[in-house]
Amino acid sequence: MRSRVGPRRADRPVPTLLRGIYLPRSTDAAAFAMTTYGIPLLVLATTNSAALSGLAFALEWVPRLGAFAFAGALVDRHGTTAVLRYASAARALVVLAAALILPSQEKGLGATVTVMLLAASTGIVTECSYIAAETAGGAAGRETGARAHRVQSVLLGIDQVATLAGPALAGVLLQWTGAAGMLMVIAVFSLLTSVLAPRQCHRAKPARQPVLQGLLTGWSTLRSLPALGWMVTGLAVSNLAVGLLQAAAPVIIVKQLGHSTADVGFIWSVAAVASLVAVALCRRAIDRFGLWPVGALSASIAATACLAISFADTYGTFLALIAVLMAGEGGMTVVLRTLRSRLIPADTFGATLSLTILLLLLPFPLAGVLVATVPPTQLGHVITLCAAVQALGLFTAFARLRTTPGLRASFA
């Protein structure tokens, strides 16, 4: 008698890219964007404190940096399906619990503790789900062979659309439905991600490398690539200014300019559109003019816009300058990604990539601490100082890139 088990397993349909990769990536990206931009807004609306809003921004990013180290190890050990499914379910439970608790509390100590714990816990599980989704997308790209670039372009588009819509949706929901409405929508996206988590039919078991050893390998490679090192340094300094603006935006827009939380989300949605357009233009410009001119122009645009933001006294001006700043940042990101793909050896690519991402994210919790400790009336001066440091850092980085030996081929 022929066994029924074998044919059933062999005939089991393989999930398509749409069902297996793109849909779960879309729902996870939506939850990621709404959490990142919505939680600090929620903290400000709940506590009415600029300092606590900045602290919440830091509490979101510090656990993410810590989770970044062990999330990759979790994925290696348990697979993308399990990590994405359980991390998304955990995020849904956390935000649902907050949605049930907050309406029953007055705006006092209990509500403050709830929203601050929400910021810290969502930071951890969101980073785990992001690493799992990114790993699943990379595996799907490798499996498609020559069509890998198409898969990656779709995934990048999904992330950009989520960054475009997520902040605006979070702001609108918070304004019109309150904290419970916004958190419920985040929970829905998280549960959908858990249900749609791509099935991992087979998983290679790579040799486990201690986290510290991986970081040391990445550091050694980065030191041997001065072009990449200077680019990462310049962008890390720039990210301090960008992170400061992200953390301070709720305070500036709501407290100082008298606009709503929906207007805060709208700013970052417009900025995402500007960044998306800049990325598309820079890809073509690099083909024609090379990496260095496009990168230097993008850096100049970003630094000039950031210096001007501290003098913005209207919502329209602030919105326009943020859009210009993020367009410049988008151009520099294209240059960074291109340099990474050209310069990092294949055998150390993962470790070096992880280290560069970690270095680029470190300024964000520092920016939250600055907003938490600086009086709101002094934020303009701090933004000006960070903008000056950004301009100096980018100028130094691109000046060194121009004169670094052996880089003519990389920047051609």
Side-chain angles (χ1 to χ4, degrees):
M1 180 181 294
R2 185 174 61 182
S3 174
R4 295 180 180 179
V5 176
R8 283 184 179 177
R9 289 182 178 175
D11 296 338
R12 179 180 293 172
V14 178
T16 63
L17 284 173
L18 176 62
R19 165 61 183 84
I21 299 297
Y22 298 153
L23 282 179
R25 178 63 169 255
S26 299
T27 53
D28 183 67
F32 183 99
M34 290 187 66
T35 301
T36 299
Y37 292 94
I39 299 301
L41 284 175
L42 173 60
V43 172
L44 181 63
T46 303
T47 66
N48 199 34
S49 169
L52 290 177
S53 178
L55 183 59
F57 188 85
L59 284 176
E60 271 193 302
W61 282 103
V62 169
R64 288 185 183 187
L65 294 177
F68 185 83
F70 69 79
L74 286 177
V75 171
D76 288 340
R77 180 173 301 179
H78 301 290
T80 57
T81 302
V83 174
L84 183 58
R85 181 170 293 160
Y86 290 118
S88 300
R91 179 172 55 203
L93 290 176
V94 168
V95 296
L96 281 174
L100 294 174
I101 292 172
L102 282 175
S104 63
Q105 294 179 329
E106 297 294 334
K107 291 186 177 182
L109 178 61
T112 300
V113 171
T114 299
V115 292
M116 300 307 280
L117 288 175
L118 176 66
S121 56
T122 53
I124 295 175
V125 294
T126 294
E127 188 62 34
C128 290
S129 69
Y130 171 76
I131 294 295
E134 188 76 4
T135 303
R142 289 191 296 272
E143 291 175 0
T144 56
R147 296 188 297 118
H149 65 285
R150 297 182 184 180
V151 175
Q152 294 304 320
S153 64
V154 173
L155 294 177
L156 179 60
I158 289 172
D159 291 343
Q160 290 173 330
V161 170
T163 304
L164 165 64
L169 180 59
V172 169
L173 288 171
L174 184 59
Q175 181 179 358
W176 295 105
T177 66
M182 185 191 77
L183 294 174
M184 289 293 289
V185 172
I186 295 176
V188 168
F189 282 128
S190 299
L191 289 174
L192 284 174
T193 303
S194 183
V195 172
L196 296 171
R199 183 177 300 164
Q200 201 171 24
C201 298
H202 57 276
R203 174 168 56 93
K205 294 183 178 180
R208 295 175 185 173
Q209 179 176 241
V211 172
L212 180 58
Q213 182 60 44
L215 293 177
L216 290 175
T217 301
W219 177 250
S220 177
T221 305
L222 189 63
R223 289 185 62 186
S224 68
L225 301 171
L228 185 61
W230 280 110
M231 189 70 203
V232 170
T233 301
L235 276 175
V237 173
S238 183
N239 278 351
L240 177 61
V242 174
L244 179 64
L245 289 171
Q246 288 184 1
V251 179
I252 295 173
I253 302 302
V254 177
K255 291 290 188 181
Q256 298 181 7
L257 299 181
H259 283 256
S260 66
T261 55
D263 292 328
V264 180
F266 182 69
I267 281 182
W268 296 113
S269 295
V270 172
V273 173
S275 180
L276 186 61
V277 172
V279 167
L281 293 176
C282 285
R283 285 173 180 169
R284 296 182 179 181
I286 289 172
D287 291 335
R288 183 172 182 180
F289 302 105
L291 278 175
W292 194 90
V294 174
L297 178 61
S298 298
S300 300
I301 292 173
T304 302
C306 194
L307 284 168
I309 284 174
S310 59
F311 302 100
D313 55 0
T314 65
Y315 177 78
T317 304
F318 192 87
L319 183 151
L321 289 174
I322 287 288
V324 173
L325 167 64
M326 297 312 294
E329 288 286 324
M332 288 191 291
T333 300
V334 174
V335 174
L336 173 65
R337 285 176 176 266
T338 306
L339 270 181
R340 284 194 311 212
S341 64
R342 291 185 183 182
L343 298 179
I344 301 177
D347 57 341
T348 59
F349 189 89
T352 310
L353 176 64
S354 298
L355 179 65
T356 59
I357 294 175
L358 185 61
L359 292 175
L360 292 175
L361 293 182
L362 281 175
F364 284 95
L366 177 58
V369 172
L370 285 175
V371 174
T373 55
V374 174
T377 55
Q378 300 297 317
L379 278 177
H381 300 298
V382 178
I383 292 173
T384 302
L385 178 61
C386 286
V389 173
Q390 177 199 38
L392 180 61
L394 290 175
F395 175 82
T396 303
F398 277 91
R400 291 301 299 267
L401 285 172
R402 188 65 169 172
T403 59
T404 299
L407 285 183
R408 190 174 301 276
S410 297
F411 279 94

